[in-house]
Amino acid sequence: IAEPRWPLILLRTPKGMTGPQSYRGEPVEGSYRAHQVPIPDAKTNPESLRIVEDWLRSYRPDELFDGQGRPMPDILACCPTGDRRMGSNPHTFGGRIRRPLDRPDIFAYEVALASPENGLERGVSSVSSLEHVALYLRDVVARNRHQFRIMSPDELESNKLGAVFEVTQRDYQWPVAPHFSSHIGSDDGRVLEILSEHTCQAWLQGYLLTGRHGLFPSYEAFLTIVTSMMDQFAKFLKMSQQFSWRLPVSSLTYLETSTLWRQEHNGFSHQNPGFINSVLNLKPQFTRIYLPPDANTMVSTLDHCLRGTNYVNLVIANKPKLPQWLTMSEAIAHARAGASIWPWASTDDGVNPDVVLVGIGDTLTEEVMAAAEMLLHEFPELRVRVVNVTDLLVLQRESEHPHGLDDEMFAALFTPDKPVIVNFHGYPSAAKQLLFGRRHPQRFYIHGYQEEGTTTTPFDMHVVNATDRFHLVMQAIRLAAPVNPAVAARASERIHHYEYVLADFRRYIEEHGEDPPEIANWRWTGKP
Amino acid sequence: IAEPRWPLILLRTPKGMTGPQSYRGEPVEGSYRAHQVPIPDAKTNPESLRIVEDWLRSYRPDELFDGQGRPMPDILACCPTGDRRMGSNPHTFGGRIRRPLDRPDIFAYEVALASPENGLERGVSSVSSLEHVALYLRDVVARNRHQFRIMSPDELESNKLGAVFEVTQRDYQWPVAPHFSSHIGSDDGRVLEILSEHTCQAWLQGYLLTGRHGLFPSYEAFLTIVTSMMDQFAKFLKMSQQFSWRLPVSSLTYLETSTLWRQEHNGFSHQNPGFINSVLNLKPQFTRIYLPPDANTMVSTLDHCLRGTNYVNLVIANKPKLPQWLTMSEAIAHARAGASIWPWASTDDGVNPDVVLVGIGDTLTEEVMAAAEMLLHEFPELRVRVVNVTDLLVLQRESEHPHGLDDEMFAALFTPDKPVIVNFHGYPSAAKQLLFGRRHPQRFYIHGYQEEGTTTTPFDMHVVNATDRFHLVMQAIRLAAPVNPAVAARASERIHHYEYVLADFRRYIEEHGEDPPEIANWRWTGKP
């Protein structure tokens, strides 16, 4: 490994050096007065105008320009020609030289739901979306050694993407001990790892602008600190659309993980899904937010994101092993639609549910599925429809976002008028603003992160934010009771029962520091 | 001025220094493996447990603890006693020693709306809220020389708060030239000025926690970069409420100015009101957001904020001179209510308007008032009600925020069912999420910042975001026409008229680089 010796020059200069030295008796150079407009009244005060003129003449423009104001030939002779001109460097016009990413066939990464004995078994395989998509990323790296990089503020391995190191390594610029090179696939490391989200953001922006491709995996709570940089990049995308010579560049894709919902090791300080809200404030034509519910949907989604140009993509998933719901073909269709009814988990026979349960986000979907299962088994008279949303922007009206569902499709999924319980990964504010323009938005009951939580178990994080299966079940019963007499007949008894179960579970968690086995080992068993 | 010579020690150590040296044949110390849990299987693998045990024994616990696990007497003798103990330092329990701020009577800062000849004249005096509240702040500084500081990432003078320097100066720690000391009031500068929002945030947090008071003025777009720190502070406030020995500390008050709506000198990069959205995601009991419409309301609001404890206050105002609307007594009542009908600008006789116009933010209110005036004079048959919101949180339901209006008061202001045009300072997303839970939210038409704009005139910034008087007037006509035949009769003609006027104005702006005189010199003239 080469050991670079970067040159470093430190030059400390007074602010406003070589500018006008003083104004109205006060020194300018080297003071805060050198900021903004140091000589503010030059337009109206001849004495001030003289200060500005003297200053400008100190550059001796007569030696630099001819009588017509053109630069002198000897000045022009200093300029490089062609692509060597600063404004014509091909690498500043990445869109012109961009080649599509060489992507493998995603069916090679399908998590199989079928077993030879039982056929299709949903909710059984326990797979980490991150660990799994790492296999896909590994092969993307191997196929694109000169045009794909991962900028990583955390240990890639901590974010479960370590499989990438089967074919590449970290790109070290600092002299390192020999034992660092344990992940040698080539000496051209495609992973840039540095504990600075700001640096990763800047690196990736620059890399994309040169026509290449990349990915930015990060802890959810820490992306907040690059909100302003992300906004500036989106502003650049918007402005660049106005110039025909600015061809599209690859999208900036965030893989947001290590989310607030798993806090066994961290805690309250690591809980902030606000990056979603920040992305939602960008121009809609540049923003995409995906929350794939399982590993197949994750592979399909990331493959889609790495294909696109001129988007800011935010893909959100947790690291732990979770149940799997869709085959790869179903996942592709689900991701294309953005949201689907899961009929195999619904008891409304496709029409007229008492209540709609919606999962947005992987662990939030797991709680929705557990709630649906409880209702299927313990409350068969309650007609429930299960919907999953993987593309957050389908919630918005089609007039406000290109992915927004039109009114007919929205009603087809969520019914025109039935109560809808939404279990959402982020702050409820994000779902509320998206649903604001929909008809009868009050029928949507948004569960999400309410700034509650500490260092605790996964299930407890849900309970304290009312996003757990029991809160969902109890609310479904409350909402269905007024319209379904069979539900009403058992509502009070059942709700009190679930309150007691929940209280027992919380006592168990406090005592043992881990989730009760019924929760930790829960598996979807399907309809009765 | 003393010239401090701060000591500086740079120590570079390998990560995980003195920890377990290797694991499974791979070195740990000095590598990424020293992060998180370097020996992950100590619970189950005796060999790994041995590594951990050897490491822990290297600290020689036998010499540090007695047989009962208590620290040895010679160890305990090293500890200081009483307040010298790290956990008992009085300055880490600021709530115990906090004294209220000594505040002047705010009526001394009243902007007079009355003139001897004409009596009460609204909308005439042209005053900068910032320049004006600086007089109040100057006197707060003078009265509280040992317990009030301003942490300022921008030039305080650029933010129009320069009057503070009549009684204090910048607190320089670096050796400075003598001419820097031009603002000498004492050599104890109460203004800490550094071009780092992060440093200002950290300074102010620390200062508040020691029981003192402070203020953080900042450019709107740049506050975004301390979102994460602000969230951490709010999380601290929440947790500290759980401990009886954590007494309340002074609120953290942001004075957000130099907003997106004035971009004559900056441009698109300086347009981001997203800090509002971030504050809205905190726990409601700690968050307050104020957008005072004029200088009297600003003085009343800031005085209120500096009095409180345990809040994150966000106060938003622009710097330019703007029309003044309320006397100090009215401003106090308006700020207490959070939102009021302005009957002197309304033509609904207190009942049954065709449409409600709502201003939230000072320049947004100016456009609402100009729209109302146009309607009063040119469309007297359209019954319009003007409402001003100075406390953003009144929009939310009372069950979701302590300042939320109950349903009756909300309907009293905004009617139960009439169309409401909201002209809001920030991203529409913020107003939408707040109004989500209200009945018939679809009748609210939210105008706000749509990520449109460049370096341009104040009026043009409004036009490109559809927050200008003409867009408001045209929408009011459209919404009133279906229910008011007299409006319907002239609607099409008038809307086309205003479209032409607007097109003419935009041509003028493009040609002259400044707003047309009708706009730049517009003054409220009241009802006909």
Side-chain angles (χ1 to χ4, degrees):
Chain A
I1 296 174
E3 184 175 327
R5 297 176 62 86
W6 303 118
L8 176 68
I9 297 173
L10 287 182
L11 173 65
R12 188 165 162 228
T13 67
K15 184 160 184 162
M17 186 170 72
T18 77
Q21 293 300 302
S22 75
Y23 172 66
R24 296 199 170 173
E26 301 279 6
V28 174
E29 185 183 278
S31 89
Y32 62 90
R33 297 183 196 91
H35 195 70
Q36 292 206 339
V37 187
I39 317 291
D41 60 347
K43 255 191 183 173
T44 51
N45 181 342
E47 198 183 326
S48 296
L49 182 62
R50 178 61 177 272
I51 296 175
V52 175
E53 186 177 345
D54 287 350
W55 165 54
L56 289 174
R57 284 203 186 283
S58 74
Y59 289 96
R60 289 175 287 167
D62 297 346
E63 299 172 15
L64 302 172
F65 301 98
D66 67 16
Q68 264 73 48
R70 291 175 302 216
M72 293 292 199
D74 59 329
I75 302 293
L76 287 176
C78 299
C79 298
T81 58
D83 283 355
R84 310 303 293 263
R85 289 173 299 175
M86 193 157 59
S88 299
N89 184 324
H91 287 285
T92 63
F93 299 100
R96 294 187 197 164
I97 53 178
R98 175 181 181 273
R99 287 174 297 116
L101 202 63
D102 180 2
R103 295 169 300 110
D105 178 2
I106 61 172
F107 278 92
Y109 309 91
E110 174 160 13
V111 174
L113 301 192
S115 74
E117 311 83 50
N118 303 315
L120 198 59
E121 286 193 274
R122 300 185 192 274
V124 178
S125 303
S126 197
V127 177
S128 157
S129 279
L130 273 288
E131 256 172 18
H132 193 72
V133 83
L135 306 176
Y136 166 83
L137 284 172
R138 172 197 64 196
D139 296 348
V140 168
V141 167
R143 285 163 174 252
N144 298 274
R145 294 210 170 269
H146 299 291
Q147 62 164 355
F148 183 74
R149 282 189 185 273
I150 297 176
M151 318 298 183
S152 176
D154 315 305
E155 299 72 28
L156 208 62
E157 292 186 330
S158 148
N159 278 337
K160 305 285 183 196
L161 298 172
V164 165
F165 290 126
E166 293 172 21
V167 298
T168 190
Q169 59 175 332
R170 296 175 183 84
D171 187 358
Y172 290 115
Q173 296 286 306
W174 196 270
V176 291
H179 64 259
F180 266 82
S181 311
S182 61
H183 291 301
I184 291 186
S186 87
D187 60 2
D188 175 31
R190 308 311 296 167
V191 176
L192 275 68
E193 206 166 72
I194 183 174
L195 191 38
S196 160
E197 286 76 8
H198 296 99
T199 307
C200 289
Q201 171 81 26
W203 276 342
L204 183 52
Q205 287 183 195
Y207 194 64
L208 298 178
L209 291 179
T210 64
R212 268 81 64 99
H213 310 257
L215 183 70
F216 185 164
S218 175
Y219 266 58
E220 176 178 75
F222 305 157
L223 274 180
T224 318
I225 68 175
V226 293
T227 293
S228 179
M229 294 178 78
M230 181 269 293
D231 176 47
Q232 296 298 316
F233 185 70
K235 283 175 154 71
F236 166 82
L237 289 180
K238 176 180 181 242
M239 298 311 292
S240 72
Q241 302 271 73
Q242 299 181 12
F243 303 98
S244 57
W245 41 269
R246 275 270 172 223
L247 301 184
V249 295
S250 299
S251 302
L252 199 172
T253 301
Y254 299 94
L255 184 51
E256 186 179 280
T257 183
S258 299
T259 82
L260 72 97
W261 297 108
R262 295 291 149 127
Q263 297 296 329
E264 297 99 316
H265 304 302
N266 296 310
F268 195 30
S269 61
H270 285 54
Q271 298 170 12
N272 188 323
F275 201 63
I276 298 174
N277 298 69
S278 301
V279 172
L280 287 176
N281 280 334
L282 307 179
K283 281 304 237 192
Q285 60 264 43
F286 303 111
T287 56
R288 303 292 184 262
I289 302 177
Y290 301 105
L291 301 103
D294 67 3
N296 284 335
T297 318
M298 168 56 98
V299 172
S300 166
T301 301
L302 203 62
D303 183 67
H304 172 80
C305 290
L306 293 181
R307 194 166 19 181
T309 55
N310 276 9
Y311 293 120
V312 172
N313 295 309
L314 177 58
V315 183
I316 304 170
N318 277 289
K319 300 186 297 189
K321 295 186 193 303
L322 292 171
Q324 301 299 303
W325 309 109
L326 303 177
T327 67
M328 185 59 86
S329 296
E330 290 170 339
I332 293 170
H334 184 50
R336 282 183 182 158
S340 319
I341 297 174
W342 286 0
W344 42 269
S346 307
T347 53
D348 68 333
D349 301 323
V351 287
N352 204 25
D354 295 325
V355 63
V356 182
L357 291 184
V358 184
I360 313 179
D362 51 12
T363 65
L364 287 294
T365 295
E366 185 182 20
E367 291 305 308
V368 162
M369 298 306 287
E373 192 191 54
M374 284 168 68
L375 290 171
L376 302 183
H377 288 259
E378 302 177 26
F379 235 120
E381 58 273 42
L382 195 158
R383 297 162 62 87
V384 62
R385 174 183 294 180
V386 173
V387 173
N388 188 265
V389 173
T390 183
D391 175 348
L392 185 63
L393 276 317
V394 300
L395 297 184
Q396 205 161 22
R397 298 194 62 187
E398 59 173 333
S399 56
E400 306 209 18
H401 194 281
H403 286 200
L405 293 176
D406 61 38
D407 288 347
E408 291 73 19
M409 289 305 102
F410 189 80
L413 277 180
F414 300 108
T415 79
D417 51 7
K418 290 297 189 309
V420 182
I421 300 174
V422 177
N423 216 29
F424 172 53
H425 171 93
Y427 290 113
S429 60
K432 287 179 178 176
Q433 70 190 56
L434 293 175
L435 289 166
F436 175 80
R438 296 287 179 185
R439 265 176 294 185
H440 311 308
Q442 306 94 316
R443 71 189 171 101
F444 286 82
Y445 297 81
I446 318 287
H447 296 235
Y449 179 58
Q450 299 173 16
E451 287 278 325
E452 292 294 338
T454 179
T455 309
T456 187
T457 70
F459 185 66
D460 196 43
M461 276 302 299
H462 286 295
V463 175
V464 294
N465 288 289
T467 55
D468 64 287
R469 53 199 72 180
F470 292 98
H471 277 90
L472 301 178
V473 162
M474 289 189 284
Q475 189 167 33
I477 294 171
R478 279 179 194 279
L479 292 169
V483 295
N484 185 327
V487 172
R490 295 175 58 212
S492 179
E493 178 271 316
R494 281 285 93 184
I495 285 177
H496 283 87
H497 167 72
Y498 293 127
E499 277 171 354
Y500 270 79
V501 174
L502 203 45
D504 279 347
F505 281 170
R506 292 215 66 192
R507 263 192 298 277
Y508 182 97
I509 290 168
E510 206 152 297
E511 206 170 301
H512 296 82
E514 56 184 35
D515 283 331
E518 300 93 310
I519 302 293
N521 305 324
W522 175 83
R523 289 292 174 272
W524 167 260
T525 53
K527 293 190 197 178
Chain B
I1 295 175
E3 186 174 325
R5 296 177 63 85
W6 303 118
L8 176 67
I9 297 173
L10 287 182
L11 173 65
R12 188 166 162 228
T13 68
K15 185 159 184 163
M17 188 169 71
T18 76
Q21 294 299 301
S22 74
Y23 172 66
R24 295 197 171 175
E26 302 279 5
V28 174
E29 184 182 279
S31 88
Y32 62 90
R33 297 184 197 89
H35 194 71
Q36 293 205 339
V37 186
I39 316 294
D41 61 346
K43 257 192 183 173
T44 51
N45 182 342
E47 198 182 325
S48 297
L49 183 61
R50 178 62 178 270
I51 296 175
V52 174
E53 185 178 344
D54 288 349
W55 164 54
L56 288 174
R57 286 205 184 281
S58 74
Y59 291 97
R60 287 175 284 166
D62 297 345
E63 300 172 15
L64 302 172
F65 302 98
D66 67 17
Q68 265 72 49
R70 290 174 304 213
M72 293 290 198
D74 59 328
I75 302 293
L76 287 174
C78 300
C79 299
T81 58
D83 284 356
R84 310 303 293 264
R85 289 173 298 175
M86 194 156 59
S88 300
N89 184 324
H91 287 286
T92 62
F93 298 100
R96 294 186 197 164
I97 53 177
R98 175 181 180 272
R99 288 174 297 116
L101 203 64
D102 179 3
R103 294 169 301 108
D105 178 2
I106 61 172
F107 278 93
Y109 310 90
E110 174 159 12
V111 174
L113 301 191
S115 73
E117 311 84 50
N118 303 316
L120 198 60
E121 286 193 273
R122 299 184 194 275
V124 178
S125 302
S126 196
V127 177
S128 158
S129 280
L130 272 290
E131 253 171 21
H132 193 72
V133 83
L135 307 176
Y136 166 84
L137 284 173
R138 173 196 64 195
D139 297 347
V140 169
V141 168
R143 286 162 174 253
N144 299 275
R145 295 212 170 268
H146 299 291
Q147 62 163 353
F148 184 74
R149 283 189 184 273
I150 297 176
M151 319 297 182
S152 177
D154 316 304
E155 298 72 29
L156 208 63
E157 292 185 329
S158 148
N159 277 337
K160 304 286 184 195
L161 298 173
V164 166
F165 290 126
E166 293 172 23
V167 298
T168 190
Q169 59 174 329
R170 296 173 183 85
D171 187 356
Y172 290 115
Q173 296 285 307
W174 196 271
V176 292
H179 63 258
F180 266 82
S181 311
S182 62
H183 290 303
I184 292 186
S186 87
D187 60 2
D188 175 29
R190 308 309 297 167
V191 177
L192 275 68
E193 207 166 72
I194 184 173
L195 192 39
S196 162
E197 285 76 8
H198 295 99
T199 307
C200 289
Q201 172 81 26
W203 276 342
L204 184 52
Q205 288 183 194
Y207 195 63
L208 298 178
L209 292 179
T210 64
R212 270 81 66 97
H213 310 257
L215 182 70
F216 185 165
S218 175
Y219 266 57
E220 175 177 75
F222 305 157
L223 275 180
T224 318
I225 67 175
V226 294
T227 293
S228 179
M229 294 178 77
M230 181 268 293
D231 177 46
Q232 296 298 317
F233 185 70
K235 284 176 154 70
F236 167 82
L237 289 180
K238 175 179 182 246
M239 298 312 292
S240 72
Q241 303 271 75
Q242 299 181 12
F243 303 99
S244 57
W245 40 268
R246 275 270 173 223
L247 300 183
V249 294
S250 299
S251 301
L252 199 172
T253 301
Y254 298 94
L255 184 51
E256 186 179 280
T257 183
S258 300
T259 83
L260 72 99
W261 297 108
R262 294 292 149 125
Q263 297 297 330
E264 297 99 314
H265 303 302
N266 297 310
F268 195 31
S269 61
H270 285 53
Q271 298 170 11
N272 188 322
F275 201 64
I276 298 174
N277 298 68
S278 301
V279 173
L280 288 176
N281 280 334
L282 308 178
K283 281 303 237 193
Q285 59 264 45
F286 303 111
T287 56
R288 302 292 184 261
I289 302 178
Y290 302 105
L291 301 104
D294 67 3
N296 284 335
T297 318
M298 168 57 97
V299 172
S300 167
T301 300
L302 202 61
D303 183 68
H304 172 80
C305 290
L306 293 181
R307 196 165 19 179
T309 56
N310 277 8
Y311 293 120
V312 173
N313 295 308
L314 177 58
V315 183
I316 304 171
N318 278 289
K319 300 186 296 188
K321 295 184 192 304
L322 292 172
Q324 300 300 302
W325 309 109
L326 303 177
T327 68
M328 186 58 85
S329 294
E330 290 171 341
I332 293 170
H334 184 49
R336 282 183 182 158
S340 318
I341 298 174
W342 286 359
W344 43 268
S346 306
T347 53
D348 68 334
D349 302 323
V351 288
N352 203 26
D354 294 325
V355 64
V356 182
L357 291 183
V358 183
I360 313 179
D362 51 12
T363 66
L364 288 293
T365 295
E366 185 181 20
E367 291 306 308
V368 162
M369 297 306 287
E373 193 190 56
M374 284 168 67
L375 291 171
L376 302 183
H377 287 260
E378 302 177 26
F379 234 120
E381 59 272 41
L382 194 158
R383 297 162 62 87
V384 61
R385 173 183 295 180
V386 174
V387 173
N388 189 266
V389 173
T390 183
D391 175 348
L392 184 63
L393 275 316
V394 300
L395 297 184
Q396 206 161 20
R397 297 194 64 187
E398 56 173 335
S399 56
E400 305 209 19
H401 193 280
H403 285 199
L405 293 176
D406 61 39
D407 289 347
E408 291 74 18
M409 291 304 102
F410 189 80
L413 277 180
F414 301 109
T415 79
D417 51 6
K418 291 296 191 307
V420 182
I421 300 175
V422 177
N423 215 31
F424 172 53
H425 172 92
Y427 289 113
S429 59
K432 287 179 178 175
Q433 69 190 58
L434 293 175
L435 289 166
F436 176 80
R438 296 286 179 185
R439 265 177 293 185
H440 310 307
Q442 307 93 319
R443 71 189 171 100
F444 286 83
Y445 298 81
I446 318 286
H447 296 235
Y449 179 57
Q450 299 172 14
E451 286 281 321
E452 292 294 338
T454 178
T455 310
T456 188
T457 70
F459 185 67
D460 197 42
M461 276 302 298
H462 286 296
V463 175
V464 295
N465 289 289
T467 55
D468 64 288
R469 55 200 70 182
F470 291 98
H471 277 90
L472 301 179
V473 162
M474 290 188 285
Q475 189 167 33
I477 295 170
R478 278 179 195 280
L479 292 170
V483 294
N484 184 328
V487 172
R490 295 174 58 212
S492 178
E493 179 271 315
R494 281 286 89 183
I495 285 178
H496 283 88
H497 167 72
Y498 292 127
E499 277 171 354
Y500 270 80
V501 174
L502 204 46
D504 278 348
F505 281 170
R506 292 215 66 192
R507 263 193 298 277
Y508 182 97
I509 290 169
E510 206 152 296
E511 206 169 301
H512 296 82
E514 55 184 35
D515 283 331
E518 299 94 310
I519 302 293
N521 304 324
W522 174 82
R523 288 294 173 272
W524 166 260
T525 54
K527 291 189 196 178

